[in-house]
Amino acid sequence: MLHNFSYDMLGNLKRQWRAFRGGKPGHRFVDRHDRVKQSRKTQSWARRLIEPVVGIILLAIGVVMTFLPGPGILFYFAGAGLLAGESRVLARGLDWSERKLRRIFRWTKRWWKRASLIAKLAVIFLAVCAGSGFCYAAYRIFLAK
């Protein structure tokens, strides 16, 4: 019984991910919100409760991991993505953010391709310095007494 439930849940997550990934950028979260609202009509109350609770837990993990070295931003996106199924306003905000981030990434990619070797090395050096400084600050704040 539990095996079938977990297998069905995994299959459902895969279908949801494929539908999300195949969506038009800048409209994915609102489309997902609409799909979630449509499927909620046939789901049990327990299933309707699980997704928002998991989203809130993932956001909380993201907040904790913001202050610790780790992939905190991934937890922010995962939690916000789950909660976007419940809130059309949040879904619109995430679609707006996706469009802006895609524009920034395209600009960065064009700049990187045109940049000289010295400019690329300077950016890498500054990123390493910033990362080292962040790690040292986290060490001093959380581990060194």
Side-chain angles (χ1 to χ4, degrees):
M1 176 76 175
L2 182 63
H3 174 69
N4 288 340
F5 176 74
S6 63
Y7 183 73
D8 291 342
M9 191 174 193
L10 184 61
N12 188 32
L13 285 173
K14 285 181 181 180
R15 281 190 299 279
Q16 286 181 15
W17 174 248
R18 284 189 199 114
F20 179 79
R21 191 181 63 196
K24 183 179 177 189
H27 300 280
R28 297 172 196 221
F29 291 98
V30 170
D31 292 344
R32 181 178 183 285
H33 170 78
D34 294 341
R35 284 192 306 271
V36 166
K37 286 300 176 190
Q38 186 64 29
S39 70
R40 290 283 191 234
K41 297 174 183 175
T42 60
Q43 291 178 344
S44 69
W45 66 270
R47 177 121 170 113
R48 284 182 281 190
L49 182 68
I50 289 172
E51 196 167 295
V53 168
V54 170
I56 291 169
I57 290 170
L58 289 174
L59 282 175
I61 291 171
V63 168
V64 169
M65 292 186 81
T66 298
F67 301 105
L68 299 173
I73 198 160
L74 296 176
F75 286 93
Y76 279 131
F77 285 128
L82 285 174
L83 291 175
E86 303 299 320
S87 168
R88 190 168 192 84
V89 172
L90 182 58
R92 285 182 183 161
L94 289 172
D95 280 336
W96 177 85
S97 299
E98 180 185 15
R99 286 190 298 270
K100 296 296 180 187
L101 284 172
R102 283 179 176 273
R103 188 177 300 143
I104 290 168
F105 286 138
R106 280 192 305 267
W107 179 85
T108 304
K109 188 176 177 181
R110 283 193 313 266
W111 179 86
W112 188 262
K113 285 182 177 181
R114 292 185 311 225
S116 67
L117 179 62
I118 299 294
K120 289 177 182 178
L121 290 173
V123 168
I124 292 169
F125 177 75
L126 290 173
V128 168
C129 288
S132 299
F134 179 77
C135 290
Y136 179 72
Y139 167 76
R140 294 289 294 178
I141 292 169
F142 295 111
L143 300 176
K145 298 287 179 189

